[in-house]
Amino acid sequence: IMSSAKVKPEITVNIIREVSHLSGTEGMIGGQVVDLANENRSVIDESVLAYTYERKTAALIKAAAAIGADCAEASEEEKKKIFEFAENLGLAFQIKDDILDCLGDEKLLGKPIGSDEENDKKTFVTALGIQGAERRLETATNMAKEALDMFGEKSEFLRNLADFLLERNY
């Protein structure tokens, strides 16, 4: 489907290259491998969690951002900032998910609370505690929004999306 996009052929090739890269060992597949390799560890470092989340959730968001940026023929500087936004948004999304697994409403989430702990899954909450995870969530959200500064008012929707994900309860 990516190859049938109604854009210039060089843009189509670039989209295919970027999405393939973000899906492979440097992206979603690589993140999943690291995640599985760390399942049974008793302690996991924050940097390993960030690496994993940046290659799973953030890579998925970056792939979507890459398609939009390429179709809009964004400059390299614009793409760099768009990717910075997407990476931080993905990290923030996943950290919020970790927090909600501890403090969320089971009915709103549609899954049992505490399932990460029950399954011995290492998260930002297990690495940093609730307050530390909340601080890291806020930092990632602010970094995502700051990456959009160069776009001015055109980025308002994305800023609101970052705030929504920060405050979400499901």
Side-chain angles (χ1 to χ4, degrees):
I1 292 181
M2 287 186 293
S3 63
S4 64
K6 304 261 188 268
V7 293
K8 298 175 190 172
E10 59 270 17
I11 292 174
T12 300
V13 169
N14 202 40
I15 289 170
I16 292 169
R17 189 184 84 251
E18 287 178 325
V19 172
S20 297
H21 174 76
L22 290 164
S23 300
T25 57
E26 295 294 315
M28 292 176 258
I29 290 173
Q32 185 63 31
V33 168
V34 172
D35 197 21
L36 291 171
N38 288 304
E39 262 185 4
N40 296 319
R41 294 195 176 183
S42 57
V43 177
I44 192 165
D45 185 77
E46 175 187 354
S47 65
V48 174
L49 284 168
Y51 178 93
T52 304
Y53 290 175
E54 287 164 4
R55 274 147 192 83
K56 289 176 66 177
T57 308
L60 182 63
I61 295 171
K62 280 173 77 172
I67 293 169
D70 286 336
C71 288
E73 299 185 38
S75 70
E76 286 304 312
E77 183 182 354
E78 290 170 328
K79 281 181 75 169
K80 180 182 174 195
K81 290 300 185 176
I82 290 166
F83 280 4
E84 189 179 320
F85 166 78
E87 190 166 290
N88 282 294
L89 187 73
L91 181 60
F93 178 89
Q94 200 59 55
I95 295 170
K96 182 67 175 195
D97 219 45
D98 293 350
I99 294 167
L100 288 172
D101 188 72
C102 296
L103 303 176
D105 181 326
E106 193 169 309
K107 289 179 184 174
L108 290 174
L109 290 176
K111 68 175 189 173
I113 300 304
S115 61
D116 287 343
E117 184 177 16
E118 185 176 306
N119 294 320
D120 200 30
K121 185 165 173 58
K122 305 303 179 269
T123 68
F124 269 84
V125 173
T126 56
L128 304 175
I130 292 289
Q131 290 179 338
E134 287 173 339
R135 283 190 299 275
R136 188 67 176 91
L137 166 63
E138 191 171 325
T139 298
T141 300
N142 288 335
M143 289 174 71
K145 292 183 340 185
E146 287 169 11
L148 299 171
D149 285 349
M150 73 179 297
F151 300 104
E153 290 180 15
K154 293 188 289 186
S155 65
E156 196 61 31
F157 174 82
L158 296 175
R159 289 174 190 281
N160 290 337
L161 174 63
D163 286 334
F164 170 78
L165 294 177
L166 174 70
E167 300 299 328
R168 72 186 172 103
N169 58 4
Y170 55 89

